[in-house]
Amino acid sequence: MGEFDLIARYFDRPVRRSPLGIGDDCALLQPAAGMQLAVTSDMLVEGRHFLSTVDPRRLGHKALAVNLSDLAACGARPLAFTLSLALPAVDQAWLAGFAQGLFALAGEHGCELVGGDTTRGPLCINITAFGEVPAGRALLRSGARPGDDLWVSGTLGDARLALEAFRGTIALPQAIFEAARLRMEQPQPRVALGQALLGIATSAIDISDGLLGDLGHILRRSGVGASVQAACAPGLLAATGAGLQLDETLLQELVLAGGDDYELAFTAPAAQRDDVTAAAARAGTAVTCIGSIAATPGLRVLDAAGLPLPRQFAGFDHFR
Ligand code: ADP
Ligand code: MG
């Protein structure tokens, strides 16, 4: 099977919302009047971002999900995406599974594949996603203000729990492992929540490298500090009710600095608490207030007694 047959069979689907899809030199996009394009790109490299044994359907899902998560963090509505693939060989079963997972998530969000590139090489997947957001109203990292509440969506730490189980540093009962692994391999981007928070949240980021590390980006860009109540951070969905006993220090590490969560961290004025909970209810996503923004720079992580935790938590960095 040649390059063009491969594209036609697995990736060329009719587009409805974009004026021109796959097949020409460029795709054409038309954001609605008064809307800005939000553009984001994320690359997944075999062995670095995913294990070679992962189910290709889950990989197709995740490759798009991590991009939709960035659109969500800006409050953008997904519109279209491009897919650039390096493949070591044409493996039709793999391609069929990958395309199935990819288009299932794309369909859920009305996001159309409009172009890309296909080449031979070590397995690598790059997606660029385009969304639209009312001009001038995108949620940015730079808008947090002293006195704002600090919130996170969903739960944290499951993906890292699964990664540690894969690495063999933690042994998990099978049911907990499968639940955590699903969170790692098939994250749900908080697209509806991001849009529901437009006009309410003052800043937002999606959590890909660990809560505290990503929160640090908001603090730097906004020129503020924060305190976080560690005990309030919503952790480990996979272990809820399952009676998993983890060492307290390890649990904190997973929840506060685990990574690959794809939840949203955001700030909103304390006076708008009810608006935040109403937006979360509309979006069908749980949110938890975990702290507050202060004028004093720095990130203070407090225990249940309000005392600073003695440990440092580093965010993920590919080159450290
Ligand atoms: P060009 O050489 O002009 O860059 P290509 O020959 O690489 O175009 O691709 C042919 C068409 O197929 C283009 O419209 C391109 O956007 C699309 N395409 C290539 N690879 C993919 C892919 N993996 N997914 C979706 N569209 C693709
Ligand atoms: Mg090309």
Side-chain angles (χ1 to χ4, degrees), residues 3-4 7 11 22-25 83-85 113-118:
E3 177 185 333
F4 298 103
I7 296 165
F11 299 116
I22 287 175
D24 216 307
D25 294 305
L83 168 68
S84 293
L85 267 182
L113 178 56
V114 294
D117 199 19
T118 306

Side-chain angles (χ1 to χ4, degrees), residues 58 74 84 91 102 140 170 243 260 291:
R58 290 191 178 181
C74 285
S84 293
D91 175 341
L102 180 81
L140 305 179
I170 299 178
D260 245 12

Side-chain angles (χ1 to χ4, degrees), residues 168-180:
T169 64
I170 299 178
L172 293 177
Q174 193 64 21
I176 294 182
F177 173 64
E178 290 302 337

